Each structure stands twice: as C-alpha cells, then as structure tokens.
Amino acid sequence: IISSVTLMAIYVVMMIYGLYYLGLWNFSLLKESLIWFFSVAFFSLIQINKFVDSPNQITDLVVDNLKIIVIVEYLVGFFTFNFVIEFILVPLVVVMSYMRVNTQSNQRQEQVYKFASGVLGVVGVVVIFSVVYQFFKNFNYVANRQAALEFFLPIILSALYLPFMGFMVVYCTYQRILIGLRNSITVRYTEIYARFVTMLIFNIRIGLLERWFTIVAKSQLQTIGEVNQLFRLFFEMLKREKASEDIFLPEGWSPHQAKNYLLSEGIETGHYNPTCPMKSPEWSSYSKLVDFGSGMPPNKIAFYLNGDERAVNSLKLKLYVHDLQHLDNAHKKLLSCAEILTNHALERDLNCQFSQVIILGEEAVLNGPNFKVTLSKNEWKNHSNLGYELVFEVSVLKGVAA
C-alpha cells in the first residue's frame, strides 16, 4: 500500500503542476487540494481491489466520493464555520466516510454502514442549507473567478484522477498475477517465459488475464511447451464461447446459459473452466457463497455447475444452514431457487410433493425420462451449532446423455 500511495502522491503533484502551468491552480487553493487528496483520492485508492473485476465502476466510485467532498469543499472553502465547529466537522466526515467504505459490502456490519451513512446524510443536509443561505448572502463573492476555481477544483481533479485509477487497477492485478505465476510455476525459466508472454498477449485486458491465471493455477505447468499448449486451449475455449450453441436434454445444458439461471435471485457463477486443464476432462463453475438472514454466522447458499467442455450435466444448489433459529426461511430460500432452476433446466414446475420435502428439509429422489432431481442432507455432527447442508441437484441420467 505504501508504493500505491507514493504513486498516487506523485500523480496528484503532477496534476496540480499541470493546472498551475495552465493558470487553473494557485497556492490559495492548497487547502481545497489537500481536502480532496485525503478524501476522494485516498478513499478511492483504498477501494481499488473491489473494482479489479469491474473496472467500469471506477467512475462511479470516484463520483460517489466526490458527492461528499463537493459539499465539504464548498463549506470549508467558501463559508467557514468557527474553528471549533470546523475542527469537529472535517474529521467527523473523514471518519464516517472511512467507516462507510469499509462496511459497504459486509452484511455483518450493515448497522455500522447505516449509521455512517446516516451521519453523513445529516451533515450533508446541514451543509446544503448553510451553503444556500450563504450563497444568497454573499452572491458577489461566489461569482468571482477565484471562488469559481475553489468550487470546480474537486471536479477537475477527480476527472484527471480517473486515468490513474485505471492504471492502478491494471498495476494491482499484474502485481498479484505475477506473484501467483511465481508460486504456480516452479521452473524458473518457464515462469519468466510465462510472465513475458502473458504481459505481451493480455496487456490491459485484465478480465482475460484474471481468467487465464485461474486456469494456470490448476495446471502445474513445468515446460514452455505446456505454457504454449495452455494458451492454445484458452483461446480455443474463448472462441467456442463466442460461437455458443444451444444444448438440450438428454445431452445437458449450455454452460453459458446455465450460469445465468439464478440471476433473479442474485446468484451468478463465475466462468466455466476446466477443473484440471492438463489432466482431466471435467469442467466446472460456481458462484460465491451468498449470505442471507440475520444469524451469526448467517445461512448461505451457492450454485455449482459440472460437466465437460461442451455441456453441463449437473446443476447443484447447496444450502448451508448455520442459523437453526431461521431454518424455515433458509428452506424457503432453497425452494425459491430450486423452483427457478427447475423451470429453466427442465422447462417444467417443481411438483408440490418435492417442494414440501424441501420445506421439511428431508431427502428425496425424482427420476425423469432423461434427468434426475435429488435432495440430500448432510448433518454436521461435529459442528458447534449442529447445522447441516442441503443439496438440491438436477442432473442428466447417466447412460442417457447423447
């Protein structure tokens, strides 16, 4: 993080020097620049890892932080409160912003996130009313060029900061991937070759880079020939995905359609990749564990696909019941997902009897002409709260698939 902050500081100094050279910055704007630096620039940087997978959201991140700083800049830059109020206000906004950033995606700290957002909301309302009042009271001052520079400086700096954020996404990704290659490829010259070719082929296409590395990490590459072979397999896989065709029972399901079956429930799997590219014909994909409920720990659900390079032959939902006090809600969540999955996969509704089995958390099997639906239960006897796992699976019957 020290190197990242250093790079950020150098870039910001270069930005400000450029504005100074163009006559858009002077030393009277130092206070506004420092406030922007320690709010928008710093808070955007510490969130950079959240946007490695979604670099297009960087603009939203910077703009979101800018909403707060524009108000604070207008307040402390134009219409200054007395020292005591300003001494309390500025650190309060910084601390609440930091709390909000670090709890935004953590359901367990949802109350902290709401509290920080509420405090910032109250401060924002107070500032807006104060600014409106002072605006009309001091209109001639606001209208001058210096005041305009003070107001628009955060917006200008934020716009110029976006390229740096894009660079940092690429930089952080390559830093992690190159370290990963060193750990995954034990033969030194093969690792150096893999590094060079990876940077040459993928350059700033970090989405492909991330996916490539997940496959490399499973492959135990030792020779340059194996690296080249894996590159060929990777781009053949991408080509096959672009020419994706519909697949029907009894063969299975299209991987690139199946991964989106549960989007309406907020569940999406990652890419459909080979499980062990150099040794096994099996392919798979899975979602992140999705937390729901208010238990500590909360109940969780995940979605898994398994098959071969052409077709998925197993669609699996796993419900992890940690909170026994809310197991009814957990079973209802599994039922909701199972009904959607069955409708997409089999083009039929889940029958009432099987739905009731899910609600009760029991085991069951339903055989169709070319498919099988099962519900199995695995109790955690050694678990502290005696939780369990329910697995709902729709699969192709073996010996029937084409």
Side-chain angles (χ1 to χ4, degrees), residues 72-243:
V72 177
E73 283 275 7
Y74 208 88
L75 174 66
V76 301
F78 282 7
F79 311 120
T80 309
F81 284 144
N82 64 54
F83 176 77
V84 175
I85 296 178
E86 195 168 305
F87 183 78
I88 296 173
L89 178 65
V90 174
L92 177 65
V93 170
V94 171
V95 171
M96 290 297 108
S97 300
Y98 183 80
M99 290 172 60
R100 185 174 180 271
V101 164
N102 284 277
T103 59
Q104 186 171 6
S105 58
N106 191 333
Q107 286 191 340
R108 298 183 185 181
Q109 296 181 320
E110 184 178 0
Q111 294 301 320
V112 177
Y113 174 77
K114 290 181 178 179
F115 171 75
S117 299
V119 172
L120 289 173
V122 171
V123 172
V125 170
V126 172
V127 168
I128 289 172
F129 275 107
S130 176
V131 167
V132 171
Y133 170 74
Q134 296 287 354
F135 178 86
F136 288 104
K137 184 178 178 180
N138 303 278
F139 180 79
N140 291 332
Y141 171 70
V142 175
N144 67 49
R145 182 177 184 275
Q146 180 65 22
L149 283 176
E150 291 177 5
F151 180 74
F152 286 107
L153 180 64
I155 300 173
I156 295 171
L157 290 176
S158 296
L160 295 174
Y161 190 62
L162 288 175
F164 174 75
M165 290 294 289
F167 165 78
M168 286 305 299
V169 167
V170 176
Y171 172 79
C172 292
T173 302
Y174 267 103
Q175 189 177 49
R176 178 168 47 83
I177 296 299
L178 294 180
I179 292 173
L181 286 176
R182 180 182 301 170
N183 295 329
S184 300
I185 304 175
T186 56
V187 179
R188 180 63 176 166
Y189 67 85
T190 303
E191 178 222 332
I192 294 173
Y193 175 80
R195 284 184 172 215
F196 175 76
V197 177
T198 296
M199 290 188 287
L200 183 66
I201 291 178
F202 295 115
N203 46 75
I204 63 172
R205 297 182 295 175
I206 59 174
L208 289 178
L209 174 64
E210 289 273 8
R211 188 173 181 186
W212 155 252
F213 178 68
T214 60
I215 297 175
V216 171
K218 304 173 184 177
S219 302
Q220 298 179 339
L221 301 176
Q222 298 297 321
T223 67
I224 291 176
E226 289 177 343
V227 173
N228 292 335
Q229 181 183 353
L230 198 60
F231 269 115
R232 285 194 297 271
L233 291 174
F234 181 75
F235 285 103
E236 286 173 3
M237 177 181 69
L238 296 180
K239 183 178 179 180
R240 187 165 53 248
E241 288 179 4
K242 289 182 179 179

Side-chain angles (χ1 to χ4, degrees), residues 322-340:
H322 297 276
D323 180 16
L324 296 179
Q325 293 182 353
H326 299 92
L327 60 86
D328 289 342
N329 290 334
H331 292 176
K332 289 178 182 178
K333 176 70 173 180
L334 178 61
L335 175 60
S336 173
C337 294
E339 288 176 336
I340 294 171

